[in-house]
Amino acid sequence: MNPISEPEYITIVEGPTPEFRPSNDFSIHSILEGPGDSYSALCEMRTLNGPDIVDRCQQAWKEGRPVRLDYPDDMRLRQEVDVLALRLQEIEEGLVLQVWVRHLVDDALQQEEASEMDDEDEDDGLFFG
């Protein structure tokens, strides 16, 4: 693979699955154009090396390379999403990285349907182990 097109990764190695919330930031919506329907979502995570992450992402974007967030889902399987923007914020407890990502509508619908099926399974008293 050509190193120019290799994505830069933000990898979550440990900790909980990021909580993605739909973003109402209209400046982010302008960069969502693409072949599939998508929406932007925001997640926040604490970081010890936030300035390094921001520098690496800015360099990748300057070089025309994509940035991807690699994270474990609830089943601890690796997932990836495109990073649209990020911001480093200092709070009392330390550094927080705010990351805006692109979610495809089809993926979101599949996750919602799976969640509804899980809820239905829980309601009928069945337990799987």
Side-chain angles (χ1 to χ4, degrees):
M1 180 179 265
N2 182 351
I4 297 298
S5 62
E6 287 185 19
E8 184 66 44
Y9 281 94
I10 301 171
T11 303
I12 299 174
V13 178
E14 56 187 47
T17 300
E19 180 182 326
F20 296 102
R21 299 183 315 266
S23 172
N24 295 326
D25 190 337
F26 291 108
S27 62
I28 299 296
H29 294 290
S30 65
I31 58 177
L32 283 175
E33 293 181 11
D37 291 332
S38 59
Y39 67 95
S40 65
L42 170 68
C43 70
E44 297 179 319
M45 59 193 105
R46 290 186 189 189
T47 179
L48 298 174
N49 59 343
D52 177 56
I53 293 171
V54 171
D55 289 343
R56 288 187 299 114
C57 293
Q58 287 178 334
Q59 185 62 38
W61 285 322
K62 284 179 187 175
E63 295 170 358
R65 296 185 298 128
V67 175
R68 310 232 347 124
L69 177 63
D70 172 18
Y71 64 95
D73 66 12
D74 292 334
M75 301 288 291
R76 306 314 291 169
L77 299 173
R78 302 307 301 178
Q79 302 296 325
E80 293 182 13
V81 290
D82 288 323
V83 174
L84 302 171
L86 51 87
R87 177 186 309 149
L88 189 61
Q89 182 177 25
E90 189 165 352
I91 61 171
E92 204 171 291
E93 292 83 14
L95 294 174
V96 172
L97 188 63
Q98 297 174 315
V99 182
W100 284 264
V101 300
R102 172 189 318 226
H103 277 290
L104 297 177
V105 171
D106 291 341
D107 292 344
L109 290 175
Q110 288 174 359
Q111 289 176 357
E112 186 176 311
E113 289 171 1
S115 176
E116 288 174 3
M117 288 177 64
D118 288 345
D119 291 345
E120 290 173 8
D121 289 343
E122 290 174 9
D123 290 343
D124 65 9
L126 295 177
F127 298 93
F128 298 92

